[in-house]
Amino acid sequence: RVRLSQQLIVAGVFQFVNLTSPAAMLLLLLPVLAVVSHAQNYGTGFGKTTYSVSDGLGCYNWLNTYLPITQDYPFGKQACGELGRARIATGSSSNGWSNGFGMHCVSLTASSARIHKAEGCPATADFEMKFDSKWSKVVSGGAYDHFLDYNGGYWVSSLDPYITKFTTSKVPFLKLSWKDSSNGKDYYSVIVRVHNSMMLVELMSGDCTTCSSTLAVPTARFLFAANQSPEDLWGSLDDKTSKKPLLHPARLSWPSTNISRERAFFLGLEVDLVAQKQAGDVQTDVYDFSPLMPVAKSMQFHVVQRVSDGSSFTWGDYEASVMKCHKASIKDDLCGENPFMDNHIGFAQHGTSTKTLDAGIVKKLSTDLGLPFHATHNPRGALAIYAMAGNGLSITFQIDQGSYIPPRTPTGGMLDLCSDGDCASPSPTPPGPSPPSPTPPPSPAPPVSSCKEAIEKQCGDYVGRPYQCMRCVNNSPKRAEMLAACGLYRNMRKACGFPNLVVI
């Protein structure tokens, strides 16, 4: 594997150094070599984006109104908050469920221990209100804002149906135009704000009949290889006349005030830096996560640094506030979750890969770089590992534990919105050596038959249809009894008919 040298930073609009050399040509291909059948799906490589919002169900309703999504589970009002969880549809008929890329919105009430107001953590709603004026300026013809680099990018067959819907519904949006310099083609983007949140969705396409007037940006929003087209990556793209053309996950984007700081973080995660570009004072690093999971080749990860605009609320202000909250609320690896840890991207590693990442590696990286680290107990029987970058945003990994040993046995669950983690004090160390206590026998796992019987008793009509079955389980007033019979959430999934695959 060829890793891009830091000497390849150049001035101008994204020109690569010595493009005629074989090595440079290979570097150009690395970020975008993808196979159409290897789309990003839930629990495989990049599986979701999650946002901290003030109105979880309001955001879900917006997504459901304007984008081709299906409902994910768990979902709805919870103790201490709301889960507005969606997955993008993967076909013209979703049959009520999808294994597509996740788009999750999480909101908390004042009763949640995750709020950490006393520690100085800002309210998500306060950030949203500060973003209101920035968004209004942008969609009213103002300059591009650094906050717009925090988005999920999706390729669509045509922007026309979305522009028509947004215009009819009076939903503000921003139109961009940009150039694929490798192939001499023009492309277009629409950035839209989800409800009242800071969740931004960028739709990208080569088809836009109303894009004669756009904000032209020098930064390519997606890197194509020479002689490569969108159809090479995402298939025929033949649903242009659909009211909601399908979304094809293409790019994740983070803003940063210090791209070199983020570079140390990403390279420590064993991923490849495949392009470094500069256009004026805008720097962009492009990362390839396929060493951790080959299917991740179909998703680019961009990190963008811009000069501060000097406004009253800059991305630098946001970074500083979120990082201050992380450092104040996180007491140890298991204790101190806060709302802004919900601003994360989910990544799962399993099967064969070039590089192996585990919790021990992430813990050491975080310690070495002075970054926050957190592990949350997953009721499905594993730890969710939060790797927090210097910009305050996170990647939540489903990875092996490796050499990592948590400070105590974790309890609780990542979807318990009332809890800020496992904050029980560790047992005191005895003053001197003492003989080890005998290890008690492990509690017997609930018999498989009792779990299956409990599921069949309440949701028997859906067993064998796993998504419908788990919808029944999660909405059942007898859910607690089924979980007690099964012992672990993953056992309920297995009884419903899911394979043995853990998804966070």
PDB file of all heavy atoms in Angstrom, residues 149-168:
ATOM      1  N   ASP A 149     -18.736  22.227   6.633  1.00  0.00           N
ATOM      2  CA  ASP A 149     -17.869  21.067   6.399  1.00  0.00           C
ATOM      3  C   ASP A 149     -18.187  19.916   7.338  1.00  0.00           C
ATOM      4  O   ASP A 149     -17.598  18.839   7.210  1.00  0.00           O
ATOM      5  CB  ASP A 149     -16.397  21.466   6.570  1.00  0.00           C
ATOM      6  CG  ASP A 149     -15.929  22.418   5.487  1.00  0.00           C
ATOM      7  OD1 ASP A 149     -16.295  22.196   4.319  1.00  0.00           O
ATOM      8  OD2 ASP A 149     -15.219  23.394   5.814  1.00  0.00           O
ATOM      9  N   TYR A 150     -19.097  20.117   8.283  1.00  0.00           N
ATOM     10  CA  TYR A 150     -19.537  19.036   9.171  1.00  0.00           C
ATOM     11  C   TYR A 150     -20.823  18.462   8.599  1.00  0.00           C
ATOM     12  O   TYR A 150     -21.921  18.945   8.882  1.00  0.00           O
ATOM     13  CB  TYR A 150     -19.742  19.564  10.589  1.00  0.00           C
ATOM     14  CG  TYR A 150     -20.147  18.510  11.603  1.00  0.00           C
ATOM     15  CD1 TYR A 150     -19.781  17.174  11.454  1.00  0.00           C
ATOM     16  CD2 TYR A 150     -20.880  18.853  12.724  1.00  0.00           C
ATOM     17  CE1 TYR A 150     -20.137  16.210  12.384  1.00  0.00           C
ATOM     18  CE2 TYR A 150     -21.242  17.902  13.680  1.00  0.00           C
ATOM     19  CZ  TYR A 150     -20.871  16.593  13.505  1.00  0.00           C
ATOM     20  OH  TYR A 150     -21.239  15.631  14.432  1.00  0.00           O
ATOM     21  N   ASN A 151     -20.694  17.454   7.741  1.00  0.00           N
ATOM     22  CA  ASN A 151     -21.884  16.890   7.104  1.00  0.00           C
ATOM     23  C   ASN A 151     -21.629  15.476   6.616  1.00  0.00           C
ATOM     24  O   ASN A 151     -20.494  15.014   6.541  1.00  0.00           O
ATOM     25  CB  ASN A 151     -22.353  17.793   5.953  1.00  0.00           C
ATOM     26  CG  ASN A 151     -21.428  17.763   4.752  1.00  0.00           C
ATOM     27  OD1 ASN A 151     -21.271  16.727   4.098  1.00  0.00           O
ATOM     28  ND2 ASN A 151     -20.799  18.898   4.448  1.00  0.00           N
ATOM     29  N   GLY A 152     -22.702  14.814   6.283  1.00  0.00           N
ATOM     30  CA  GLY A 152     -22.639  13.528   5.602  1.00  0.00           C
ATOM     31  C   GLY A 152     -22.993  13.737   4.144  1.00  0.00           C
ATOM     32  O   GLY A 152     -23.991  14.400   3.826  1.00  0.00           O
ATOM     33  N   GLY A 153     -22.173  13.187   3.226  1.00  0.00           N
ATOM     34  CA  GLY A 153     -22.390  13.391   1.801  1.00  0.00           C
ATOM     35  C   GLY A 153     -22.929  12.150   1.117  1.00  0.00           C
ATOM     36  O   GLY A 153     -22.398  11.052   1.300  1.00  0.00           O
ATOM     37  N   TYR A 154     -23.966  12.316   0.295  1.00  0.00           N
ATOM     38  CA  TYR A 154     -24.644  11.195  -0.373  1.00  0.00           C
ATOM     39  C   TYR A 154     -24.793  11.519  -1.856  1.00  0.00           C
ATOM     40  O   TYR A 154     -25.227  12.613  -2.225  1.00  0.00           O
ATOM     41  CB  TYR A 154     -26.026  10.957   0.249  1.00  0.00           C
ATOM     42  CG  TYR A 154     -25.976  10.739   1.731  1.00  0.00           C
ATOM     43  CD1 TYR A 154     -25.986  11.829   2.618  1.00  0.00           C
ATOM     44  CD2 TYR A 154     -25.893   9.461   2.271  1.00  0.00           C
ATOM     45  CE1 TYR A 154     -25.919  11.636   3.990  1.00  0.00           C
ATOM     46  CE2 TYR A 154     -25.833   9.261   3.649  1.00  0.00           C
ATOM     47  CZ  TYR A 154     -25.837  10.351   4.494  1.00  0.00           C
ATOM     48  OH  TYR A 154     -25.764  10.159   5.855  1.00  0.00           O
ATOM     49  N   TRP A 155     -24.431  10.552  -2.692  1.00  0.00           N
ATOM     50  CA  TRP A 155     -24.612  10.743  -4.132  1.00  0.00           C
ATOM     51  C   TRP A 155     -26.033  10.358  -4.507  1.00  0.00           C
ATOM     52  O   TRP A 155     -26.566   9.361  -4.016  1.00  0.00           O
ATOM     53  CB  TRP A 155     -23.615   9.910  -4.927  1.00  0.00           C
ATOM     54  CG  TRP A 155     -23.397  10.492  -6.293  1.00  0.00           C
ATOM     55  CD1 TRP A 155     -24.088  10.214  -7.435  1.00  0.00           C
ATOM     56  CD2 TRP A 155     -22.445  11.502  -6.629  1.00  0.00           C
ATOM     57  NE1 TRP A 155     -23.627  10.987  -8.476  1.00  0.00           N
ATOM     58  CE2 TRP A 155     -22.608  11.787  -8.006  1.00  0.00           C
ATOM     59  CE3 TRP A 155     -21.471  12.188  -5.901  1.00  0.00           C
ATOM     60  CZ2 TRP A 155     -21.835  12.730  -8.666  1.00  0.00           C
ATOM     61  CZ3 TRP A 155     -20.696  13.134  -6.558  1.00  0.00           C
ATOM     62  CH2 TRP A 155     -20.888  13.394  -7.934  1.00  0.00           C
ATOM     63  N   VAL A 156     -26.643  11.152  -5.368  1.00  0.00           N
ATOM     64  CA  VAL A 156     -28.002  10.866  -5.852  1.00  0.00           C
ATOM     65  C   VAL A 156     -28.008  10.968  -7.371  1.00  0.00           C
ATOM     66  O   VAL A 156     -27.158  11.642  -7.973  1.00  0.00           O
ATOM     67  CB  VAL A 156     -29.045  11.827  -5.241  1.00  0.00           C
ATOM     68  CG1 VAL A 156     -29.132  11.635  -3.731  1.00  0.00           C
ATOM     69  CG2 VAL A 156     -28.738  13.285  -5.571  1.00  0.00           C
ATOM     70  N   SER A 157     -28.973  10.327  -7.987  1.00  0.00           N
ATOM     71  CA  SER A 157     -29.051  10.333  -9.449  1.00  0.00           C
ATOM     72  C   SER A 157     -29.367  11.719  -9.988  1.00  0.00           C
ATOM     73  O   SER A 157     -28.917  12.103 -11.068  1.00  0.00           O
ATOM     74  CB  SER A 157     -30.107   9.333  -9.927  1.00  0.00           C
ATOM     75  OG  SER A 157     -31.381   9.667  -9.389  1.00  0.00           O
ATOM     76  N   SER A 158     -30.165  12.476  -9.233  1.00  0.00           N
ATOM     77  CA  SER A 158     -30.543  13.824  -9.660  1.00  0.00           C
ATOM     78  C   SER A 158     -30.889  14.665  -8.436  1.00  0.00           C
ATOM     79  O   SER A 158     -31.503  14.173  -7.479  1.00  0.00           O
ATOM     80  CB  SER A 158     -31.746  13.777 -10.605  1.00  0.00           C
ATOM     81  OG  SER A 158     -32.172  15.088 -10.950  1.00  0.00           O
ATOM     82  N   LEU A 159     -30.517  15.933  -8.501  1.00  0.00           N
ATOM     83  CA  LEU A 159     -30.886  16.869  -7.433  1.00  0.00           C
ATOM     84  C   LEU A 159     -32.260  17.487  -7.673  1.00  0.00           C
ATOM     85  O   LEU A 159     -32.858  18.059  -6.751  1.00  0.00           O
ATOM     86  CB  LEU A 159     -29.840  17.988  -7.332  1.00  0.00           C
ATOM     87  CG  LEU A 159     -28.444  17.579  -6.854  1.00  0.00           C
ATOM     88  CD1 LEU A 159     -27.492  18.761  -6.938  1.00  0.00           C
ATOM     89  CD2 LEU A 159     -28.487  17.040  -5.433  1.00  0.00           C
ATOM     90  N   ASP A 160     -32.768  17.381  -8.883  1.00  0.00           N
ATOM     91  CA  ASP A 160     -34.007  18.074  -9.238  1.00  0.00           C
ATOM     92  C   ASP A 160     -35.188  17.739  -8.324  1.00  0.00           C
ATOM     93  O   ASP A 160     -35.872  18.659  -7.842  1.00  0.00           O
ATOM     94  CB  ASP A 160     -34.371  17.795 -10.692  1.00  0.00           C
ATOM     95  CG  ASP A 160     -33.431  18.494 -11.667  1.00  0.00           C
ATOM     96  OD1 ASP A 160     -32.658  19.371 -11.218  1.00  0.00           O
ATOM     97  OD2 ASP A 160     -33.461  18.165 -12.859  1.00  0.00           O
ATOM     98  N   PRO A 161     -35.489  16.446  -8.062  1.00  0.00           N
ATOM     99  CA  PRO A 161     -36.640  16.161  -7.198  1.00  0.00           C
ATOM    100  C   PRO A 161     -36.482  16.751  -5.797  1.00  0.00           C
ATOM    101  O   PRO A 161     -37.474  17.205  -5.200  1.00  0.00           O
ATOM    102  CB  PRO A 161     -36.685  14.627  -7.162  1.00  0.00           C
ATOM    103  CG  PRO A 161     -35.967  14.186  -8.394  1.00  0.00           C
ATOM    104  CD  PRO A 161     -34.889  15.198  -8.588  1.00  0.00           C
ATOM    105  N   TYR A 162     -35.263  16.762  -5.285  1.00  0.00           N
ATOM    106  CA  TYR A 162     -35.047  17.302  -3.938  1.00  0.00           C
ATOM    107  C   TYR A 162     -35.184  18.821  -3.933  1.00  0.00           C
ATOM    108  O   TYR A 162     -35.798  19.394  -3.023  1.00  0.00           O
ATOM    109  CB  TYR A 162     -33.673  16.876  -3.424  1.00  0.00           C
ATOM    110  CG  TYR A 162     -33.616  15.405  -3.087  1.00  0.00           C
ATOM    111  CD1 TYR A 162     -32.922  14.519  -3.900  1.00  0.00           C
ATOM    112  CD2 TYR A 162     -34.291  14.901  -1.982  1.00  0.00           C
ATOM    113  CE1 TYR A 162     -32.883  13.161  -3.597  1.00  0.00           C
ATOM    114  CE2 TYR A 162     -34.255  13.557  -1.671  1.00  0.00           C
ATOM    115  CZ  TYR A 162     -33.556  12.691  -2.484  1.00  0.00           C
ATOM    116  OH  TYR A 162     -33.532  11.356  -2.199  1.00  0.00           O
ATOM    117  N   ILE A 163     -34.619  19.482  -4.945  1.00  0.00           N
ATOM    118  CA  ILE A 163     -34.740  20.936  -5.017  1.00  0.00           C
ATOM    119  C   ILE A 163     -36.201  21.341  -5.147  1.00  0.00           C
ATOM    120  O   ILE A 163     -36.661  22.303  -4.514  1.00  0.00           O
ATOM    121  CB  ILE A 163     -33.899  21.478  -6.192  1.00  0.00           C
ATOM    122  CG1 ILE A 163     -32.408  21.332  -5.869  1.00  0.00           C
ATOM    123  CG2 ILE A 163     -34.247  22.930  -6.489  1.00  0.00           C
ATOM    124  CD1 ILE A 163     -31.483  21.710  -7.010  1.00  0.00           C
ATOM    125  N   THR A 164     -36.956  20.597  -5.969  1.00  0.00           N
ATOM    126  CA  THR A 164     -38.384  20.887  -6.113  1.00  0.00           C
ATOM    127  C   THR A 164     -39.108  20.742  -4.784  1.00  0.00           C
ATOM    128  O   THR A 164     -39.909  21.613  -4.396  1.00  0.00           O
ATOM    129  CB  THR A 164     -39.013  19.935  -7.152  1.00  0.00           C
ATOM    130  OG1 THR A 164     -38.392  20.140  -8.417  1.00  0.00           O
ATOM    131  CG2 THR A 164     -40.511  20.174  -7.265  1.00  0.00           C
ATOM    132  N   LYS A 165     -38.830  19.662  -4.058  1.00  0.00           N
ATOM    133  CA  LYS A 165     -39.494  19.420  -2.778  1.00  0.00           C
ATOM    134  C   LYS A 165     -39.108  20.480  -1.752  1.00  0.00           C
ATOM    135  O   LYS A 165     -39.972  21.026  -1.047  1.00  0.00           O
ATOM    136  CB  LYS A 165     -39.119  18.029  -2.267  1.00  0.00           C
ATOM    137  CG  LYS A 165     -39.741  17.651  -0.925  1.00  0.00           C
ATOM    138  CD  LYS A 165     -41.223  17.442  -1.001  1.00  0.00           C
ATOM    139  CE  LYS A 165     -41.782  16.858   0.291  1.00  0.00           C
ATOM    140  NZ  LYS A 165     -43.247  16.736   0.262  1.00  0.00           N
ATOM    141  N   PHE A 166     -37.813  20.794  -1.646  1.00  0.00           N
ATOM    142  CA  PHE A 166     -37.369  21.794  -0.675  1.00  0.00           C
ATOM    143  C   PHE A 166     -37.974  23.162  -1.002  1.00  0.00           C
ATOM    144  O   PHE A 166     -38.414  23.892  -0.109  1.00  0.00           O
ATOM    145  CB  PHE A 166     -35.847  21.899  -0.669  1.00  0.00           C
ATOM    146  CG  PHE A 166     -35.138  20.657  -0.192  1.00  0.00           C
ATOM    147  CD1 PHE A 166     -33.881  20.333  -0.681  1.00  0.00           C
ATOM    148  CD2 PHE A 166     -35.727  19.811   0.741  1.00  0.00           C
ATOM    149  CE1 PHE A 166     -33.220  19.191  -0.246  1.00  0.00           C
ATOM    150  CE2 PHE A 166     -35.075  18.660   1.172  1.00  0.00           C
ATOM    151  CZ  PHE A 166     -33.823  18.361   0.681  1.00  0.00           C
ATOM    152  N   THR A 167     -37.997  23.502  -2.290  1.00  0.00           N
ATOM    153  CA  THR A 167     -38.533  24.798  -2.692  1.00  0.00           C
ATOM    154  C   THR A 167     -40.025  24.890  -2.394  1.00  0.00           C
ATOM    155  O   THR A 167     -40.504  25.889  -1.821  1.00  0.00           O
ATOM    156  CB  THR A 167     -38.282  25.036  -4.187  1.00  0.00           C
ATOM    157  OG1 THR A 167     -36.877  24.958  -4.459  1.00  0.00           O
ATOM    158  CG2 THR A 167     -38.791  26.393  -4.608  1.00  0.00           C
ATOM    159  N   THR A 168     -40.770  23.836  -2.749  1.00  0.00           N
ATOM    160  CA  THR A 168     -42.216  23.830  -2.496  1.00  0.00           C
ATOM    161  C   THR A 168     -42.523  23.931  -1.005  1.00  0.00           C
ATOM    162  O   THR A 168     -43.472  24.607  -0.595  1.00  0.00           O
ATOM    163  CB  THR A 168     -42.846  22.548  -3.068  1.00  0.00           C
ATOM    164  OG1 THR A 168     -42.577  22.477  -4.473  1.00  0.00           O
ATOM    165  CG2 THR A 168     -44.344  22.508  -2.824  1.00  0.00           C
TER     166      THR A 168
END
